[in-house]
Amino acid sequence: MGGTLLVQAALAAAGCGEHRRAEELADRAAGIATGLRGYDDEYRTSFGSVAVELTRVLLAAQRGDASEAVRRHVSVVRREAWRRLPAEYRGAYLVDVARAYLHVGDLRGAARALVDADSVAPAEVRWRPLARTLIADVARANPAPAGVARLATLVGLTR
């Protein structure tokens, strides 16, 4: 359970602008994840090496390195462990990644992340304020990327 707390602490530190501390905490979490056997998750926290890698994606985005965040994201979602994470975890993560895609100017990547998030965890997209903001930002593109117009309508941003 200590690894999950370290991941949360890393994300909190990044949110406070303590990027060096966030990386240190992520490194400590990675050390714990390395010691786990396969998918050893007795407390059902979804902690493991993939959770640490997802955290590193979010830390890169938080410190303003959206290009690194997108590069890491493409790699981590190819892993088998990604598919074993709970749907809510994947959905929330994909909403956060959509923001990184927007920061690098990749509207299609942001749209794809939002549509994927909606397909795995609709509540994360339809009720989370950040997701609604991102949908509105992507929907402003002319023409809006595929799937985003539908999401905008579903969340009540358009008629």
Side-chain angles (χ1 to χ4, degrees):
M1 193 156 53
T4 300
L5 294 174
L6 287 168
V7 162
Q8 292 302 313
L11 293 170
C16 294
E18 297 288 334
H19 302 294
R20 180 177 295 145
R21 183 70 177 140
E23 291 297 332
E24 290 169 2
L25 292 163
D27 289 345
R28 287 178 55 196
I32 292 172
T34 300
L36 296 177
R37 298 177 318 264
Y39 192 66
D40 187 11
D41 190 17
E42 68 179 297
Y43 297 110
R44 305 225 188 285
T45 61
S46 299
F47 177 76
S49 62
V50 73
V52 175
E53 289 305 312
L54 296 177
T55 300
R56 291 190 191 282
V57 170
L58 299 177
L59 294 180
Q62 188 72 25
R63 74 172 174 270
D65 194 347
S67 295
E68 180 183 344
V70 168
R71 181 183 54 77
R72 284 180 174 269
H73 163 72
V74 169
S75 173
V76 76
V77 296
R78 291 182 182 154
R79 295 176 56 188
E80 175 64 30
W82 161 255
R83 290 183 285 284
R84 288 192 301 240
L85 291 171
E88 298 81 14
Y89 196 104
R90 287 180 288 141
Y93 167 80
L94 287 167
V95 169
D96 291 332
V97 164
R99 182 171 38 184
Y101 274 110
L102 276 180
H103 283 290
V104 296
D106 185 348
L107 289 174
R108 287 186 180 170
R112 188 173 46 253
L114 290 167
V115 169
D116 289 350
D118 186 64
S119 72
V120 296
E124 285 294 331
V125 175
R126 298 177 190 184
W127 300 109
R128 192 170 168 202
L130 172 62
R132 296 169 63 83
T133 300
L134 294 171
I135 291 167
D137 290 347
V138 175
R140 284 189 197 105
N142 195 4
V148 173
R150 181 186 64 81
L151 285 177
T153 301
L154 284 171
V155 301
L157 297 173
T158 61
R159 294 180 195 237

